[in-house]
């Protein structure tokens, strides 16, 4: 049976892989953040991302490089990749929004929708479902939303101030931007040439009710790899999941 939604789902994506990853040192002294390997997986973060994108129907990926770009480019040239990859390097700092616009200009189908992901995200959920959610809401941009676990234990109290329970690392009560996106073709034209789209383009779209938020399904794995502790925690979690 033909899937009626298939034609509206992206087959191209941008991976933002230019960050310096200063909080991940010494791991990032000789490699960019997306080239850091989760202990025990044998795969750098970007290798996982490209495999995930391919499983979700993506055929072409633009990787926006920055810090130690040549290390990432060399790996991409020698790795057995499941998608066609183009790399771009900013010749001068453009900011997050400007960098995204520059990378999007190299997508093979500028008149088609596209995914984007930050280069330090390790996750698995259905991008196809997210794309359908985006289309159903006629959004220009859709953000994946996560509820990360807070790094401290929490306490529950009753109405009299008695502590009734302790909860180790509970999920946040707030949803956060998970660093994974679906964008309509028109989105690239709304990005600034320089600067941060999260302070300009996103608020503008939100006021117009053209920005959607897709909650990552409960039980799906998501983690941003920002620090050495994140690496350790991710390795434990993925081992428990058998991945």
């Amino acid at each position: 049976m033909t899937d009626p939604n298939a034609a509206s789902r992206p087959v191209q994506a941008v991976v933002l892989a230019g960050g310096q990853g200063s909080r991940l040192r010494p791991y990032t002294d000789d490699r960019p953040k997306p080239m850091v390997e989760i202990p025990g997986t044998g795969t750098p973060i970007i290798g996982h991302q490209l495999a995930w994108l391919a499983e979700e129907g993506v055929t072409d990926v633009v990787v926006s490089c920055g810090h130690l770009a040549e290390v990432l480019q060399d790996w991409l040239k020698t790795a057995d990749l499941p998608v066609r990859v183009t790399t771009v390097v900013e010749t001068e700092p453009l900011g997050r929004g400007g960098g995204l616009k520059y990378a999007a200009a190299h997508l093979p189908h500028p008149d088609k929708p596209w995914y984007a992901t930050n280069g330090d995200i390790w996750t698995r959920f259905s991008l196809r479902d997210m794309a359908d959610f985006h289309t159903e809401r006629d959004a220009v941009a859709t953000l994946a939303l996560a509820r990360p676990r807070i790094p401290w234990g929490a306490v529950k109290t009753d109405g009299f101030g008695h502590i009734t329970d302790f909860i180790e690392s509970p999920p946040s009560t707030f949803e956060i931007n998970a660093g994974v996106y679906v964008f309509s073709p028109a989105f690239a034209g709304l990005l600034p040439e320089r600067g941060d789209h999260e302070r300009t383009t996103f608020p503008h779209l939100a006021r117009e009710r053209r920005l959607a938020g897709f909650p990552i399904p409960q039980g799906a794995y998501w983690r941003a790899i920002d620090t050495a502790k994140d690496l350790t925690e991710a390795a434990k979690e993925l081992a428990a999941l058998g991945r």
Side-chain angles (χ1 to χ4, degrees), residues 32-33 47 56 58 82-84 101 124 142 147 154 161-162 173 180 182 187 213 229-230 239:
K33 198 174 182 182
E56 294 295 324
V58 171
V83 292
R84 289 184 291 270
K101 187 182 188 81
R124 280 288 165 117
T142 297
R147 289 185 184 271
H162 298 121
T173 56
V180 180
V182 182
F187 180 75
K229 184 178 180 182
D230 289 326

Side-chain angles (χ1 to χ4, degrees), residues 216-242:
I216 293 177
Q218 187 172 4
Y221 186 76
W222 179 90
R223 180 177 280 277
I225 308 297
D226 290 320
T227 66
K229 184 178 180 182
D230 289 326
L231 278 176
T232 304
E233 293 297 318
K236 290 179 185 175
E237 291 162 353
L238 292 168
L241 292 169

Side-chain angles (χ1 to χ4, degrees), residues 6-172:
S8 63
R9 294 175 187 147
V11 295
Q12 56 186 356
V14 168
V15 176
L16 297 171
Q20 292 198 3
S22 56
R23 291 193 293 164
L24 260 175
R25 286 178 177 154
Y27 297 99
T28 51
D29 284 345
D30 61 354
R31 69 196 64 197
K33 198 174 182 182
M35 282 297 299
V36 172
E37 182 181 313
I38 306 295
T41 66
T43 306
I45 297 169
I46 194 165
H48 165 85
Q49 290 183 325
L50 295 176
W52 175 48
L53 290 167
E55 289 170 9
E56 294 295 324
V58 171
T59 58
D60 292 89
V61 176
V62 176
V63 178
S64 178
C65 308
H67 174 63
L68 296 174
E70 65 282 356
V71 177
L72 178 51
Q73 289 173 319
D74 288 346
W75 182 83
L76 290 169
K77 287 175 186 174
T78 58
D80 183 15
L81 302 177
V83 292
R84 289 184 291 270
V85 173
T86 302
T87 60
V88 297
V89 182
E90 296 174 30
T91 55
E92 56 184 327
L94 300 174
R96 291 194 297 176
L100 189 58
K101 187 182 188 81
Y102 180 66
H106 294 79
L107 288 167
H109 310 291
D111 59 337
K112 303 283 187 181
W114 45 293
Y115 297 116
T117 180
N118 295 344
D120 58 358
I121 301 299
W122 191 283
T123 187
R124 280 288 165 117
F125 64 91
S126 173
L127 287 174
R128 291 181 174 91
D129 287 351
M130 185 176 172
D132 294 346
F133 180 96
H134 170 85
T135 301
E136 288 162 5
R137 283 148 187 81
D138 196 26
V140 173
T142 297
L143 288 60
L145 304 177
R147 289 185 184 271
R149 292 190 172 275
I150 63 174
W152 308 282
V155 295
K156 277 189 173 181
T157 58
D158 62 19
F160 294 98
H162 298 121
I163 292 175
T164 60
D165 200 4
F166 293 88
I167 307 167
E168 187 63 32
S169 298
S172 167

Side-chain angles (χ1 to χ4, degrees), residues 159-210:
F160 294 98
H162 298 121
I163 292 175
T164 60
D165 200 4
F166 293 88
I167 307 167
E168 187 63 32
S169 298
S172 167
T173 56
F174 292 98
E175 293 175 312
I176 67 162
N177 179 351
V180 180
Y181 312 90
V182 182
F183 296 134
S184 294
F187 180 75
L190 301 175
L191 287 166
E193 296 291 339
R194 293 173 181 273
D196 189 349
H197 60 294
E198 295 195 10
R199 298 187 179 187
T200 54
T201 311
F202 280 173
H204 172 73
L205 290 174
R207 287 192 294 270
E208 295 187 345
R209 297 294 189 268
R210 295 194 295 164

